[in-house]
Amino acid sequence: MTKTDGQEAVTINTPEGVFLVATKGEPFLLKMTTSGPNPLDLTFTGINQPVQVDVPADKDVYAPDAIG
């Protein structure tokens, strides 16, 4: 058992990388680290927190079907 960002987590080692999953409450993915040609180190925060999403103006939206 370990802690990440103050939350208790279990470490899961796989051939694809290392995953830390919360052990209290719902088992959310808290952190992911991979290696290889495209290494990745992601930390997930704000789980179950509201997210503000602003709709972009029509001129800022890319629509591949409209290009034809």
Side-chain angles (χ1 to χ4, degrees):
M1 189 108 38
T2 187
K3 282 192 174 187
T4 183
D5 199 27
Q7 292 187 347
E8 289 185 19
V10 62
T11 302
I12 301 170
N13 293 301
T14 72
E16 289 79 23
V18 177
F19 302 88
L20 284 104
V21 179
T23 59
K24 295 206 174 177
E26 293 187 48
F28 288 109
L29 179 61
L30 300 171
K31 186 170 183 172
M32 178 176 84
T33 305
T34 65
S35 59
N38 299 310
L40 197 59
D41 189 12
L42 295 173
T43 301
F44 300 94
T45 61
I47 296 168
N48 277 341
Q49 298 298 313
V51 175
Q52 179 180 343
V53 177
D54 297 322
V55 178
D58 287 342
K59 68 178 181 68
D60 296 328
V61 175
Y62 172 71
D65 293 338
I67 292 175

